[in-house]
Amino acid sequence: MTNRKTLKMTVNDTVRNVEVATNETLLETLRRVGAVEVKCGCEKGDCGACAVLLDGMAVDSCLTLTHTVGTRAITTIKGLGTAEAPHPLQTAFAELGAAQCGYCTPGMIIATQSMLTHDTATPDENDIRHGLSGNLCRCTGYTKIYDAVLEGAKAMRETEAAK
Amino acid sequence: MNKLDEPTVAEQNVNFRQIGKPRTRTDAPGKVFGKTPYAGDYVMPDMLHARVLRAKVPSARMTRLDVSKARALPGVASVLTFRDLKIGTVATDIPGQTGFKRRATDQQILVDELVRYQGEPIAIVAAETVEIAQHALSLIEVDLEPVPGVYNVFDAQKPDSPKVFGTDNLVASYKVRKGDVEVGFAAADVIVENTFTTQYIEHAFLEPEVGLGWEDEQGVINIRSSTQAVETFRYIADAMGLPHSKVRIRGALVGGGFGGKCDVTVELYIALLTKATGRPVRLGFTREDSFYGHGKRHPFIITHKTGFTRDGKITASKIDITSESGPYAFMSPYVLMYATEAGPGPYLVDHVHIDSRSIATNNMYTSAFRGFGATQACIAYEQQMDEAAKVLGIDRIELRRRNLLKTGDAIATGFKVQSAVWTEECMDRAMAALGEKPKDKGPIKYGHGLAAYQQGYGRMIWLHDTAEGWVGVEMDGTVLVRSGMTDIGAGQTSSLAQIAGELLGIDMMDITVYNSDSSTTPLAGTSSASRGLYMSGNAVRLAAEAVRDRLAARAAQHFGSTADDVDFANAQVFLKSDPRKTMPFKELVATCASEGIHRAELAIFRAPFGDWIDPETGQGQVHPDYTYGAHAVQVAVDTETGEVTILKSIGAHDIGQAVNMAAVEGQIEGGVAQGHGYALSEELIYKDGCLVTPSLSEYLCPTSMDSPRIESIVLESRSGLGPFGAKGIGEPGHTPAAPAVANAVADAIGTRVFDFPLTPEKIARAVRTARKAG
Ligand code: FES
Ligand code: FES
């Protein structure tokens, strides 16, 4: 049998104790505890649908063993914003038609957030292409995703400037 | 007036309030906030987890199957093999059709003796956890003795070949005979003959097949799954020996379909295991399962022999079409029909001769994929047009212009197109948007390419397609829509809200749509064949109009006016002639409720019905109507490495009438990206029936790195059969993209790669060969 461990996990600012097998992936754990907004497209790191933030940095949760997360804060799409307090990227993705089937959307927005905070807050289309190259979308042809990222990034800069 | 300045919206006095605008879709908020439950997100108490054991080889005889060890494993609730099945076979025909006795397409559910493709299911297991189910698979003992298989359509047609299907491996064949092709060739100055081939490709929807089943208090097997077709409940019931009323399929918003979720996927396994265990069962395919577990896009071999006069008029078109079906029929006969009908393209040809056939092999089976055979046809006829232009020394666009079909012209099957045919406007707009071709830089050569197309929308008319839709108004004035239509990401439910909202004067965001439930939403057919909006949109339109008429009559009484004068907008009812006369919609509804005026309607929309085309001549009507348009592409090709960069990609389509402009563009953009992949990188490679590319790192879908911004030019002739004159766009946006890329690459390198996909290796080799030939 595999070893099990009890961990303290912080998911979207809520701390919980979770018992996990040492070979369990973060994707499996998150979905098991109800964070089904984290999607599974391949379980091999090929699609990006399972991306979450660990202390603000996007990772493929299917390639991350849960017990290695440590004290890092886990953020899923639900932790980024809500209907009442939307994140500018969520607003832009909805308004500009960047979510079609929507299955890639949580991972896509998470990857965008990571790119905007770690790589560049003022991306051009080429930066976006590089930054999102690990996230497959089969529905949109990426065009409206480029639009939404440009628009969302602008709104984020404006919010930042207003502070 | 310059052609490009001409109006591209039909001149009609139409004033929409919501229709035609780029609106945020009703399903968008749930998706961006992570709140939308997909089929795989549901769990139930006491739920079991299922897995499927698949054959590792493509052609074998099963000499032993022993599941006793798997059954004995603690935590295993059920292991089913062919021995446990009451019936053993399941239909694979188009679900939901009414006017046509279904074809004999039944296929074994689990292998009983012969394995006919790699990945064919042998046993299904339900256990307490996925891990136990997976472990149980490894305890199943199977002996598979290889038997000779057949792995290409040429061998499969030889008299002494192994027989996979019937007595001759022939799954379907058709003929089209229009005019006299010999007369046509006699009149030709130039005859151009070429063969084009296309590859197996994968839908690669991001959400792999998944579902959850349970038996309810009425003994109904409920299955919530990721599907394009809730109508498959009938086939599942038939396969289990249950009455149709005892199987219910409920969809969820689907994580992509593209044709790959039209057939039964996980549903039947779930139903069988639910019945066997009496417990809820969840089955989620892994990505690898998805590669092995649903039908692929058909490879085609298409030969065109085309006669032209010196000034470029087509005199005759002889086309030979072969598609590969794999070992089972699935939708191959229909896909072949589409390819056959579309054979000569959007051109007026008096003398047409088409022979087509679909051939069985032991490679993976093939079925529906966005475009449904018309795409492969377009890849052939549009490359042929460019090749002919080269031979004739006529500009490629001009050659097309001289041959385009117009409204009222007869297509290959003799049917005269009734709606607008704006192919020429679409070609001109797409080419104009492409602009100037950049100057070559050393080994980097630039190319422009275009492809025009004709794509049927709606089902073949002998399937007697119908859709039902329900619209009702609650006591508080809120509006509900019910439609069985599945929503696979194109915004199907949102469009229905928009249509009902337009007619009843309520904002689409305030309308609730129930969809995709085979028992409680009126059946509307599958979301496929570019029929979603056309069929379910018309049904909802009819229902909303009926409700509106009754409400308007009551409002007229209130205002002392005629019903014609009553209008609905912004949740208000008012008189067109005197907009100061107004009342809240809510109040009118309350009045109607208290007087027992019916505030709901169930409507049915019927597409045109007809008979099969003549089997000897192929003459008759196949589709209700067609969408026309063109796609233009600019590429840069590195002639040393063979690498292609798509710089510009522009689709121009007459879609009749946009309902949600942003959703229309989304359909075009997504379809185009799939076309880019089809042309350049996507290929399921089978070596003697074994898949070499069973992951998303080996099967290469376009990423953002491969994808330029795609431009959509949307023309609105308002001449289609859909609501408000809409035509279908789900498939048409995709169809011309791949051949446009191929034509651009050929333009850049001055020679052509005739077999898809155009990989760097093939392009570099073609360049070298052409150079040697001087
Ligand atoms: S599921 Fe993690 S990358 Fe695809
Ligand atoms: S919206 Fe469907 S995969 Fe991106």
Side-chain angles (χ1 to χ4, degrees), chain A residues 28 31 36-44 46-47 49 77-78 81-87 89-91 93-97 99-106 109 125-126 128-144 146-147 150, chain B residues 23-25 27-29 31-36 38 40-41 131 201-208 254-256 258 282 286-288 369-370 488-490 662 665-667 669-671 673-674 682 694-697 699 701-710:
Chain A
E28 290 168 327
R31 289 192 59 89
V36 292
E37 69 273 23
V38 184
K39 296 301 175 212
C40 170
C42 69
E43 295 175 282
K44 284 187 172 174
D46 293 336
C47 76
I77 186 76
K78 276 192 177 163
T82 59
E84 295 68 40
H87 186 287
L89 286 171
Q90 290 172 318
T91 307
F93 268 66
E95 285 181 354
L96 296 175
Q100 284 195 32
C101 83
Y103 202 78
C104 70
T105 307
I109 293 179
E125 230 169 87
N126 218 23
I128 299 172
R129 261 185 210 116
H130 280 87
L132 299 182
S133 62
N135 291 72
L136 282 180
C137 175
R138 193 59 162 163
C139 299
T140 64
Y142 304 99
T143 299
K144 297 208 185 306
Y146 303 153
D147 290 340
L150 290 169
Chain B
R23 291 287 308 259
T24 297
R25 278 166 34 177
D27 56 315
K31 288 172 174 174
V32 301
F33 297 124
K35 290 183 72 171
T36 297
Y38 291 78
D41 298 342
E131 293 69 30
I201 74 167
E202 162 67 17
H203 308 79
F205 29 73
L206 256 267
E207 174 202 38
V254 178
F258 317 115
R282 181 186 189 273
T286 62
R287 178 56 62 185
E288 198 175 283
F369 193 117
R370 189 183 213 166
I488 57 173
E665 290 169 359
Q667 282 305 290
E669 292 156 8
Q674 269 176 340
E682 295 184 33
S695 77
L696 293 173
S697 55
Y699 182 86
C701 301
T703 68
S704 50
M705 293 297 283
D706 310 306
S707 300
R709 176 175 288 277
I710 294 155

Side-chain angles (χ1 to χ4, degrees), chain B residues 481-517:
Chain B
V481 173
R482 295 193 172 102
S483 166
M485 179 56 51
T486 53
D487 189 330
I488 57 173
Q492 282 91 346
T493 47
S494 181
S495 294
L496 297 182
Q498 205 171 352
I499 290 166
E502 176 74 37
L503 292 165
L504 294 170
I506 302 293
D507 191 81
M508 59 190 276
M509 283 300 187
D510 295 331
I511 292 182
T512 303
V513 181
Y514 289 98
N515 79 311
S516 191
D517 183 329

Side-chain angles (χ1 to χ4, degrees), chain B residues 11-74:
Chain B
E11 309 222 23
Q12 275 180 41
N13 186 17
V14 186
N15 235 334
F16 292 120
R17 297 187 172 98
Q18 299 182 51
I19 298 289
K21 318 266 183 296
R23 291 287 308 259
T24 297
R25 278 166 34 177
T26 55
D27 56 315
K31 288 172 174 174
V32 301
F33 297 124
K35 290 183 72 171
T36 297
Y38 291 78
D41 298 342
Y42 290 89
V43 291
M44 283 183 96
D46 205 29
M47 171 178 101
L48 294 164
H49 298 266
R51 301 289 294 131
V52 181
L53 181 71
R54 300 177 180 284
K56 293 201 164 50
V57 294
S59 178
R61 183 175 307 281
M62 190 165 70
T63 51
R64 194 171 76 97
L65 175 61
D66 184 349
V67 297
S68 52
K69 291 200 181 99
R71 282 195 175 132
L73 184 70

